[in-house]
PDB file of all heavy atoms in Angstrom:
ATOM      1  N   LYS A 186       5.258  22.276 -25.549  1.00 96.00           N
ATOM      2  CA  LYS A 186       6.559  22.921 -25.661  1.00 96.00           C
ATOM      3  C   LYS A 186       7.551  22.007 -26.388  1.00 96.00           C
ATOM      4  O   LYS A 186       7.417  20.791 -26.402  1.00 96.00           O
ATOM      5  CB  LYS A 186       7.119  23.262 -24.281  1.00 96.00           C
ATOM      6  CG  LYS A 186       6.207  24.124 -23.422  1.00 96.00           C
ATOM      7  CD  LYS A 186       6.022  25.511 -24.004  1.00 96.00           C
ATOM      8  CE  LYS A 186       5.238  26.393 -23.035  1.00 96.00           C
ATOM      9  NZ  LYS A 186       5.018  27.749 -23.593  1.00 96.00           N
ATOM     10  N   THR A 187       8.586  22.624 -26.962  1.00 97.00           N
ATOM     11  CA  THR A 187       9.633  21.889 -27.659  1.00 97.00           C
ATOM     12  C   THR A 187      10.867  21.789 -26.773  1.00 97.00           C
ATOM     13  O   THR A 187      11.327  22.790 -26.231  1.00 97.00           O
ATOM     14  CB  THR A 187      10.010  22.597 -28.974  1.00 97.00           C
ATOM     15  OG1 THR A 187       8.855  22.651 -29.819  1.00 97.00           O
ATOM     16  CG2 THR A 187      11.130  21.868 -29.691  1.00 97.00           C
ATOM     17  N   PHE A 188      11.379  20.578 -26.617  1.00 98.00           N
ATOM     18  CA  PHE A 188      12.626  20.338 -25.896  1.00 98.00           C
ATOM     19  C   PHE A 188      13.649  19.786 -26.893  1.00 98.00           C
ATOM     20  O   PHE A 188      13.366  18.814 -27.593  1.00 98.00           O
ATOM     21  CB  PHE A 188      12.454  19.294 -24.784  1.00 98.00           C
ATOM     22  CG  PHE A 188      11.640  19.740 -23.596  1.00 98.00           C
ATOM     23  CD1 PHE A 188      11.077  21.000 -23.535  1.00 98.00           C
ATOM     24  CD2 PHE A 188      11.437  18.873 -22.537  1.00 98.00           C
ATOM     25  CE1 PHE A 188      10.323  21.394 -22.443  1.00 98.00           C
ATOM     26  CE2 PHE A 188      10.694  19.248 -21.434  1.00 98.00           C
ATOM     27  CZ  PHE A 188      10.131  20.528 -21.381  1.00 98.00           C
ATOM     28  N   VAL A 189      14.823  20.389 -26.949  1.00 98.00           N
ATOM     29  CA  VAL A 189      15.930  19.819 -27.721  1.00 98.00           C
ATOM     30  C   VAL A 189      16.824  19.062 -26.746  1.00 98.00           C
ATOM     31  O   VAL A 189      17.276  19.619 -25.744  1.00 98.00           O
ATOM     32  CB  VAL A 189      16.730  20.905 -28.462  1.00 98.00           C
ATOM     33  CG1 VAL A 189      17.963  20.300 -29.135  1.00 98.00           C
ATOM     34  CG2 VAL A 189      15.846  21.574 -29.510  1.00 98.00           C
ATOM     35  N   ILE A 190      17.049  17.786 -27.022  1.00 97.00           N
ATOM     36  CA  ILE A 190      17.814  16.904 -26.129  1.00 97.00           C
ATOM     37  C   ILE A 190      19.026  16.395 -26.894  1.00 97.00           C
ATOM     38  O   ILE A 190      18.901  15.787 -27.958  1.00 97.00           O
ATOM     39  CB  ILE A 190      16.936  15.718 -25.674  1.00 97.00           C
ATOM     40  CG1 ILE A 190      15.699  16.228 -24.934  1.00 97.00           C
ATOM     41  CG2 ILE A 190      17.737  14.762 -24.793  1.00 97.00           C
ATOM     42  CD1 ILE A 190      14.576  15.217 -24.846  1.00 97.00           C
ATOM     43  N   VAL A 210      11.934   9.725 -23.663  1.00 96.00           N
ATOM     44  CA  VAL A 210      11.556  10.572 -24.796  1.00 96.00           C
ATOM     45  C   VAL A 210      10.133  10.236 -25.257  1.00 96.00           C
ATOM     46  O   VAL A 210       9.337  11.128 -25.576  1.00 96.00           O
ATOM     47  CB  VAL A 210      12.576  10.408 -25.942  1.00 96.00           C
ATOM     48  CG1 VAL A 210      12.061  11.057 -27.222  1.00 96.00           C
ATOM     49  CG2 VAL A 210      13.917  11.013 -25.548  1.00 96.00           C
ATOM     50  N   ILE A 211       9.809   8.952 -25.278  1.00 97.00           N
ATOM     51  CA  ILE A 211       8.452   8.533 -25.670  1.00 97.00           C
ATOM     52  C   ILE A 211       7.423   9.065 -24.681  1.00 97.00           C
ATOM     53  O   ILE A 211       6.369   9.578 -25.073  1.00 97.00           O
ATOM     54  CB  ILE A 211       8.370   6.997 -25.763  1.00 97.00           C
ATOM     55  CG1 ILE A 211       9.234   6.501 -26.931  1.00 97.00           C
ATOM     56  CG2 ILE A 211       6.935   6.526 -25.943  1.00 97.00           C
ATOM     57  CD1 ILE A 211       9.499   5.007 -26.895  1.00 97.00           C
ATOM     58  N   LEU A 213       7.680  11.713 -22.803  1.00 96.00           N
ATOM     59  CA  LEU A 213       7.559  13.153 -23.044  1.00 96.00           C
ATOM     60  C   LEU A 213       6.588  13.425 -24.190  1.00 96.00           C
ATOM     61  O   LEU A 213       5.735  14.316 -24.103  1.00 96.00           O
ATOM     62  CB  LEU A 213       8.931  13.746 -23.375  1.00 96.00           C
ATOM     63  CG  LEU A 213       9.934  13.884 -22.231  1.00 96.00           C
ATOM     64  CD1 LEU A 213      11.290  14.343 -22.774  1.00 96.00           C
ATOM     65  CD2 LEU A 213       9.435  14.862 -21.182  1.00 96.00           C
ATOM     66  N   ARG A 214       6.714  12.648 -25.263  1.00 96.00           N
ATOM     67  CA  ARG A 214       5.841  12.836 -26.422  1.00 96.00           C
ATOM     68  C   ARG A 214       4.374  12.581 -26.062  1.00 96.00           C
ATOM     69  O   ARG A 214       3.484  13.332 -26.458  1.00 96.00           O
ATOM     70  CB  ARG A 214       6.299  11.892 -27.536  1.00 96.00           C
ATOM     71  CG  ARG A 214       5.515  11.907 -28.817  1.00 96.00           C
ATOM     72  CD  ARG A 214       5.703  13.179 -29.603  1.00 96.00           C
ATOM     73  NE  ARG A 214       4.617  14.134 -29.403  1.00 96.00           N
ATOM     74  CZ  ARG A 214       4.468  15.263 -30.076  1.00 96.00           C
ATOM     75  NH1 ARG A 214       5.348  15.607 -30.992  1.00 96.00           N
ATOM     76  NH2 ARG A 214       3.474  16.068 -29.833  1.00 96.00           N
ATOM     77  N   VAL A 218       4.768  16.978 -24.721  1.00 96.00           N
ATOM     78  CA  VAL A 218       6.015  17.665 -25.049  1.00 96.00           C
ATOM     79  C   VAL A 218       6.464  17.236 -26.442  1.00 96.00           C
ATOM     80  O   VAL A 218       6.210  16.107 -26.868  1.00 96.00           O
ATOM     81  CB  VAL A 218       7.110  17.330 -24.001  1.00 96.00           C
ATOM     82  CG1 VAL A 218       8.449  17.943 -24.396  1.00 96.00           C
ATOM     83  CG2 VAL A 218       6.689  17.806 -22.621  1.00 96.00           C
ATOM     84  N   LYS A 219       7.136  18.133 -27.154  1.00 97.00           N
ATOM     85  CA  LYS A 219       7.658  17.816 -28.484  1.00 97.00           C
ATOM     86  C   LYS A 219       9.183  17.689 -28.393  1.00 97.00           C
ATOM     87  O   LYS A 219       9.900  18.682 -28.518  1.00 97.00           O
ATOM     88  CB  LYS A 219       7.252  18.900 -29.486  1.00 97.00           C
ATOM     89  CG  LYS A 219       5.754  18.940 -29.736  1.00 97.00           C
ATOM     90  CD  LYS A 219       5.350  20.032 -30.714  1.00 97.00           C
ATOM     91  CE  LYS A 219       5.396  21.385 -30.045  1.00 97.00           C
ATOM     92  NZ  LYS A 219       4.811  22.450 -30.912  1.00 97.00           N
ATOM     93  N   PRO A 220       9.700  16.469 -28.162  1.00 98.00           N
ATOM     94  CA  PRO A 220      11.152  16.292 -28.052  1.00 98.00           C
ATOM     95  C   PRO A 220      11.821  16.187 -29.416  1.00 98.00           C
ATOM     96  O   PRO A 220      11.301  15.568 -30.342  1.00 98.00           O
ATOM     97  CB  PRO A 220      11.274  14.975 -27.272  1.00 98.00           C
ATOM     98  CG  PRO A 220      10.024  14.215 -27.607  1.00 98.00           C
ATOM     99  CD  PRO A 220       8.953  15.222 -27.897  1.00 98.00           C
ATOM    100  N   VAL A 221      12.979  16.814 -29.518  1.00 98.00           N
ATOM    101  CA  VAL A 221      13.841  16.706 -30.693  1.00 98.00           C
ATOM    102  C   VAL A 221      15.198  16.219 -30.191  1.00 98.00           C
ATOM    103  O   VAL A 221      15.794  16.836 -29.310  1.00 98.00           O
ATOM    104  CB  VAL A 221      13.989  18.062 -31.411  1.00 98.00           C
ATOM    105  CG1 VAL A 221      14.956  17.937 -32.588  1.00 98.00           C
ATOM    106  CG2 VAL A 221      12.631  18.582 -31.870  1.00 98.00           C
ATOM    107  N   LEU A 222      15.681  15.115 -30.743  1.00 97.00           N
ATOM    108  CA  LEU A 222      16.908  14.488 -30.251  1.00 97.00           C
ATOM    109  C   LEU A 222      18.058  14.766 -31.217  1.00 97.00           C
ATOM    110  O   LEU A 222      17.917  14.593 -32.424  1.00 97.00           O
ATOM    111  CB  LEU A 222      16.683  12.980 -30.126  1.00 97.00           C
ATOM    112  CG  LEU A 222      17.561  12.175 -29.173  1.00 97.00           C
ATOM    113  CD1 LEU A 222      17.413  12.680 -27.745  1.00 97.00           C
ATOM    114  CD2 LEU A 222      17.190  10.703 -29.239  1.00 97.00           C
ATOM    115  N   ALA A 327       7.572  17.290 -35.697  1.00 97.00           N
ATOM    116  CA  ALA A 327       7.211  17.362 -34.275  1.00 97.00           C
ATOM    117  C   ALA A 327       5.739  17.699 -34.091  1.00 97.00           C
ATOM    118  O   ALA A 327       5.073  17.150 -33.200  1.00 97.00           O
ATOM    119  CB  ALA A 327       8.088  18.393 -33.572  1.00 97.00           C
ATOM    120  N   TYR A 331       5.752  13.056 -34.482  1.00 97.00           N
ATOM    121  CA  TYR A 331       6.995  12.326 -34.679  1.00 97.00           C
ATOM    122  C   TYR A 331       8.102  12.865 -33.768  1.00 97.00           C
ATOM    123  O   TYR A 331       8.040  14.002 -33.293  1.00 97.00           O
ATOM    124  CB  TYR A 331       7.443  12.406 -36.137  1.00 97.00           C
ATOM    125  CG  TYR A 331       6.520  11.685 -37.090  1.00 97.00           C
ATOM    126  CD1 TYR A 331       5.494  12.367 -37.739  1.00 97.00           C
ATOM    127  CD2 TYR A 331       6.650  10.321 -37.314  1.00 97.00           C
ATOM    128  CE1 TYR A 331       4.629  11.715 -38.601  1.00 97.00           C
ATOM    129  CE2 TYR A 331       5.787   9.647 -38.174  1.00 97.00           C
ATOM    130  CZ  TYR A 331       4.778  10.354 -38.811  1.00 97.00           C
ATOM    131  OH  TYR A 331       3.912   9.698 -39.659  1.00 97.00           O
ATOM    132  N   ILE A 332       9.116  12.047 -33.547  1.00 98.00           N
ATOM    133  CA  ILE A 332      10.281  12.437 -32.756  1.00 98.00           C
ATOM    134  C   ILE A 332      11.468  12.528 -33.707  1.00 98.00           C
ATOM    135  O   ILE A 332      12.020  11.500 -34.125  1.00 98.00           O
ATOM    136  CB  ILE A 332      10.560  11.415 -31.639  1.00 98.00           C
ATOM    137  CG1 ILE A 332       9.362  11.306 -30.693  1.00 98.00           C
ATOM    138  CG2 ILE A 332      11.826  11.805 -30.869  1.00 98.00           C
ATOM    139  CD1 ILE A 332       9.450  10.139 -29.721  1.00 98.00           C
ATOM    140  N   PRO A 333      11.885  13.735 -34.102  1.00 98.00           N
ATOM    141  CA  PRO A 333      13.042  13.868 -34.988  1.00 98.00           C
ATOM    142  C   PRO A 333      14.331  13.490 -34.260  1.00 98.00           C
ATOM    143  O   PRO A 333      14.552  13.889 -33.115  1.00 98.00           O
ATOM    144  CB  PRO A 333      13.041  15.362 -35.353  1.00 98.00           C
ATOM    145  CG  PRO A 333      11.658  15.852 -35.015  1.00 98.00           C
ATOM    146  CD  PRO A 333      11.226  15.023 -33.840  1.00 98.00           C
TER     147      PRO A 333
END
Side-chain angles (χ1 to χ4, degrees):
K186 304 294 187 181
T187 299
F188 290 1
V189 174
I190 300 161
V210 169
I211 293 165
L213 287 174
R214 179 70 261 187
V218 175
K219 293 179 284 189
V221 177
L222 203 60
Y331 293 94
I332 300 169

